[in-house]
Amino acid sequence: QVQLVESGGGSVQPGGSLRLSCAASGSILSFYAVGWYRQAPGNQREWVASITTGETIRYVDSVKGRFTISRDNAKNTVYLQMNALKPEDTATYYCKGEDSLYRSIVAPGPTWGQGTQVTVSS
């Protein structure tokens, strides 16, 4: 079973940038859609962005124009470039692969990795 591991988090000031990576232990193409999600303390996990094998991309409204999801199939990695970061972007970020775009956005499965922490603060 292909596993996904998140990395790239850190602490930045408002307006700063980070690039998160979601690396697969095998072929990233094992998943039709790979999504990024985040969970802030006291909040439910929320979907952030998804990309399919056909490069169909979707974003939650709050990150449109600031975040960019991309994939490098040769490196078996999906990225989340985050620019113009805001304090409200502070959360643990997770990636997850699904077999449909619908499941990626609306109904991801119950198993999650460790995530990577993003903190935006002055």
Side-chain angles (χ1 to χ4, degrees), residues 7 21 25-26 38 41 51 60 64 75 77-78 80 87 107 110-111 119 122:
S7 63
S21 297
S25 60
R38 63 187 179 186
I51 185 169
V60 68
K64 285 180 180 177
K75 295 183 178 180
T77 302
V78 170
L80 186 67
T111 304
T119 302
S122 56

PDB file of all heavy atoms in Angstrom, residues 7 21 25-26 38 41 51 60 64 75 77-78 80 87 107 110-111 119 122:
ATOM      1  N   SER A   7       5.835  17.021   4.432  1.00  0.00           N
ATOM      2  CA  SER A   7       6.987  17.736   4.972  1.00  0.00           C
ATOM      3  C   SER A   7       6.966  19.166   4.469  1.00  0.00           C
ATOM      4  O   SER A   7       6.167  19.511   3.586  1.00  0.00           O
ATOM      5  CB  SER A   7       8.302  17.048   4.551  1.00  0.00           C
ATOM      6  OG  SER A   7       8.459  17.085   3.150  1.00  0.00           O
ATOM      7  N   SER A  21       5.490  19.504   0.820  1.00  0.00           N
ATOM      8  CA  SER A  21       5.655  18.355  -0.066  1.00  0.00           C
ATOM      9  C   SER A  21       4.896  17.155   0.478  1.00  0.00           C
ATOM     10  O   SER A  21       4.829  16.951   1.698  1.00  0.00           O
ATOM     11  CB  SER A  21       7.131  17.984  -0.194  1.00  0.00           C
ATOM     12  OG  SER A  21       7.872  19.019  -0.790  1.00  0.00           O
ATOM     13  N   SER A  25       5.426   6.726  -1.112  1.00  0.00           N
ATOM     14  CA  SER A  25       6.398   5.632  -0.953  1.00  0.00           C
ATOM     15  C   SER A  25       6.493   4.788  -2.208  1.00  0.00           C
ATOM     16  O   SER A  25       7.433   4.010  -2.361  1.00  0.00           O
ATOM     17  CB  SER A  25       6.005   4.762   0.242  1.00  0.00           C
ATOM     18  OG  SER A  25       4.709   4.201   0.051  1.00  0.00           O
ATOM     19  N   GLY A  26       5.511   4.929  -3.083  1.00  0.00           N
ATOM     20  CA  GLY A  26       5.508   4.250  -4.365  1.00  0.00           C
ATOM     21  C   GLY A  26       5.052   5.237  -5.426  1.00  0.00           C
ATOM     22  O   GLY A  26       5.394   6.418  -5.352  1.00  0.00           O
ATOM     23  N   ARG A  38      -6.146  20.758   6.204  1.00  0.00           N
ATOM     24  CA  ARG A  38      -5.518  21.356   7.367  1.00  0.00           C
ATOM     25  C   ARG A  38      -6.461  21.321   8.560  1.00  0.00           C
ATOM     26  O   ARG A  38      -7.680  21.301   8.403  1.00  0.00           O
ATOM     27  CB  ARG A  38      -5.091  22.799   7.078  1.00  0.00           C
ATOM     28  CG  ARG A  38      -6.236  23.757   6.764  1.00  0.00           C
ATOM     29  CD  ARG A  38      -5.670  25.103   6.321  1.00  0.00           C
ATOM     30  NE  ARG A  38      -6.731  26.058   5.994  1.00  0.00           N
ATOM     31  CZ  ARG A  38      -6.504  27.260   5.469  1.00  0.00           C
ATOM     32  NH1 ARG A  38      -5.258  27.648   5.201  1.00  0.00           N
ATOM     33  NH2 ARG A  38      -7.519  28.070   5.222  1.00  0.00           N
ATOM     34  N   PRO A  41      -5.980  23.985  15.834  1.00  0.00           N
ATOM     35  CA  PRO A  41      -6.420  23.547  17.165  1.00  0.00           C
ATOM     36  C   PRO A  41      -7.860  23.967  17.450  1.00  0.00           C
ATOM     37  O   PRO A  41      -8.228  25.128  17.239  1.00  0.00           O
ATOM     38  CB  PRO A  41      -5.440  24.251  18.105  1.00  0.00           C
ATOM     39  CG  PRO A  41      -4.217  24.447  17.287  1.00  0.00           C
ATOM     40  CD  PRO A  41      -4.709  24.721  15.892  1.00  0.00           C
ATOM     41  N   ILE A  51      -5.641  17.836  -6.563  1.00  0.00           N
ATOM     42  CA  ILE A  51      -5.179  17.741  -7.940  1.00  0.00           C
ATOM     43  C   ILE A  51      -5.358  16.300  -8.386  1.00  0.00           C
ATOM     44  O   ILE A  51      -5.093  15.366  -7.623  1.00  0.00           O
ATOM     45  CB  ILE A  51      -3.707  18.195  -8.071  1.00  0.00           C
ATOM     46  CG1 ILE A  51      -3.269  18.215  -9.523  1.00  0.00           C
ATOM     47  CG2 ILE A  51      -2.777  17.321  -7.228  1.00  0.00           C
ATOM     48  CD1 ILE A  51      -1.919  18.917  -9.749  1.00  0.00           C
ATOM     49  N   VAL A  60     -10.171  25.503  -2.027  1.00  0.00           N
ATOM     50  CA  VAL A  60     -11.160  26.142  -1.169  1.00  0.00           C
ATOM     51  C   VAL A  60     -11.043  27.650  -1.398  1.00  0.00           C
ATOM     52  O   VAL A  60      -9.951  28.166  -1.709  1.00  0.00           O
ATOM     53  CB  VAL A  60     -10.924  25.775   0.312  1.00  0.00           C
ATOM     54  CG1 VAL A  60      -9.636  26.378   0.848  1.00  0.00           C
ATOM     55  CG2 VAL A  60     -12.108  26.172   1.157  1.00  0.00           C
ATOM     56  N   LYS A  64      -7.638  30.577  -2.657  1.00  0.00           N
ATOM     57  CA  LYS A  64      -7.513  30.869  -4.094  1.00  0.00           C
ATOM     58  C   LYS A  64      -6.694  32.131  -4.312  1.00  0.00           C
ATOM     59  O   LYS A  64      -6.883  33.148  -3.649  1.00  0.00           O
ATOM     60  CB  LYS A  64      -8.908  31.036  -4.710  1.00  0.00           C
ATOM     61  CG  LYS A  64      -9.648  29.728  -4.908  1.00  0.00           C
ATOM     62  CD  LYS A  64     -11.026  29.957  -5.527  1.00  0.00           C
ATOM     63  CE  LYS A  64     -11.766  28.648  -5.723  1.00  0.00           C
ATOM     64  NZ  LYS A  64     -13.136  28.857  -6.265  1.00  0.00           N
ATOM     65  N   LYS A  75       8.882  12.404  -9.512  1.00  0.00           N
ATOM     66  CA  LYS A  75       9.361  12.401  -8.130  1.00  0.00           C
ATOM     67  C   LYS A  75       8.327  11.846  -7.167  1.00  0.00           C
ATOM     68  O   LYS A  75       8.547  11.845  -5.954  1.00  0.00           O
ATOM     69  CB  LYS A  75       9.755  13.819  -7.704  1.00  0.00           C
ATOM     70  CG  LYS A  75      10.945  14.380  -8.476  1.00  0.00           C
ATOM     71  CD  LYS A  75      11.349  15.758  -7.962  1.00  0.00           C
ATOM     72  CE  LYS A  75      12.573  16.271  -8.712  1.00  0.00           C
ATOM     73  NZ  LYS A  75      12.981  17.612  -8.241  1.00  0.00           N
ATOM     74  N   THR A  77       5.612  13.067  -6.076  1.00  0.00           N
ATOM     75  CA  THR A  77       5.385  14.089  -5.059  1.00  0.00           C
ATOM     76  C   THR A  77       4.330  15.092  -5.517  1.00  0.00           C
ATOM     77  O   THR A  77       4.302  15.460  -6.696  1.00  0.00           O
ATOM     78  CB  THR A  77       6.686  14.831  -4.729  1.00  0.00           C
ATOM     79  OG1 THR A  77       7.655  13.882  -4.274  1.00  0.00           O
ATOM     80  CG2 THR A  77       6.475  15.879  -3.639  1.00  0.00           C
ATOM     81  N   VAL A  78       3.496  15.495  -4.586  1.00  0.00           N
ATOM     82  CA  VAL A  78       2.554  16.602  -4.795  1.00  0.00           C
ATOM     83  C   VAL A  78       2.973  17.737  -3.871  1.00  0.00           C
ATOM     84  O   VAL A  78       3.326  17.508  -2.716  1.00  0.00           O
ATOM     85  CB  VAL A  78       1.111  16.156  -4.498  1.00  0.00           C
ATOM     86  CG1 VAL A  78       0.158  17.348  -4.462  1.00  0.00           C
ATOM     87  CG2 VAL A  78       0.643  15.145  -5.547  1.00  0.00           C
ATOM     88  N   LEU A  80       2.379  21.844  -2.314  1.00  0.00           N
ATOM     89  CA  LEU A  80       1.451  22.943  -2.042  1.00  0.00           C
ATOM     90  C   LEU A  80       2.293  24.184  -1.776  1.00  0.00           C
ATOM     91  O   LEU A  80       2.928  24.296  -0.721  1.00  0.00           O
ATOM     92  CB  LEU A  80       0.552  22.654  -0.845  1.00  0.00           C
ATOM     93  CG  LEU A  80      -0.540  23.695  -0.588  1.00  0.00           C
ATOM     94  CD1 LEU A  80      -1.573  23.681  -1.719  1.00  0.00           C
ATOM     95  CD2 LEU A  80      -1.221  23.468   0.765  1.00  0.00           C
ATOM     96  N   PRO A  87      -2.154  34.652   9.397  1.00  0.00           N
ATOM     97  CA  PRO A  87      -2.230  33.926  10.683  1.00  0.00           C
ATOM     98  C   PRO A  87      -3.304  32.838  10.685  1.00  0.00           C
ATOM     99  O   PRO A  87      -3.119  31.788  11.308  1.00  0.00           O
ATOM    100  CB  PRO A  87      -2.545  35.035  11.682  1.00  0.00           C
ATOM    101  CG  PRO A  87      -1.914  36.260  11.086  1.00  0.00           C
ATOM    102  CD  PRO A  87      -2.126  36.110   9.599  1.00  0.00           C
ATOM    103  N   ALA A 107     -15.195  13.709   0.965  1.00  0.00           N
ATOM    104  CA  ALA A 107     -15.279  12.555   1.867  1.00  0.00           C
ATOM    105  C   ALA A 107     -13.988  11.756   1.914  1.00  0.00           C
ATOM    106  O   ALA A 107     -13.971  10.584   1.548  1.00  0.00           O
ATOM    107  CB  ALA A 107     -16.441  11.652   1.438  1.00  0.00           C
ATOM    108  N   PRO A 110     -10.723   7.795   6.608  1.00  0.00           N
ATOM    109  CA  PRO A 110     -10.446   8.098   8.016  1.00  0.00           C
ATOM    110  C   PRO A 110      -8.984   8.031   8.442  1.00  0.00           C
ATOM    111  O   PRO A 110      -8.653   8.458   9.543  1.00  0.00           O
ATOM    112  CB  PRO A 110     -11.246   7.014   8.746  1.00  0.00           C
ATOM    113  CG  PRO A 110     -11.229   5.859   7.808  1.00  0.00           C
ATOM    114  CD  PRO A 110     -11.290   6.460   6.429  1.00  0.00           C
ATOM    115  N   THR A 111      -8.125   7.541   7.570  1.00  0.00           N
ATOM    116  CA  THR A 111      -6.727   7.342   7.971  1.00  0.00           C
ATOM    117  C   THR A 111      -5.887   8.538   7.543  1.00  0.00           C
ATOM    118  O   THR A 111      -5.908   8.932   6.381  1.00  0.00           O
ATOM    119  CB  THR A 111      -6.158   6.066   7.339  1.00  0.00           C
ATOM    120  OG1 THR A 111      -6.990   4.954   7.691  1.00  0.00           O
ATOM    121  CG2 THR A 111      -4.742   5.821   7.836  1.00  0.00           C
ATOM    122  N   THR A 119       2.985  27.489  10.993  1.00  0.00           N
ATOM    123  CA  THR A 119       2.643  28.548  11.939  1.00  0.00           C
ATOM    124  C   THR A 119       2.951  29.891  11.305  1.00  0.00           C
ATOM    125  O   THR A 119       4.072  30.126  10.848  1.00  0.00           O
ATOM    126  CB  THR A 119       3.438  28.402  13.244  1.00  0.00           C
ATOM    127  OG1 THR A 119       3.167  27.118  13.821  1.00  0.00           O
ATOM    128  CG2 THR A 119       3.043  29.487  14.236  1.00  0.00           C
ATOM    129  N   SER A 122       3.612  36.932  13.674  1.00  0.00           N
ATOM    130  CA  SER A 122       4.612  37.982  13.722  1.00  0.00           C
ATOM    131  C   SER A 122       5.304  37.993  15.082  1.00  0.00           C
ATOM    132  O   SER A 122       6.201  38.799  15.306  1.00  0.00           O
ATOM    133  CB  SER A 122       3.962  39.338  13.444  1.00  0.00           C
ATOM    134  OG  SER A 122       2.899  39.573  14.346  1.00  0.00           O
TER     135      SER A 122
END
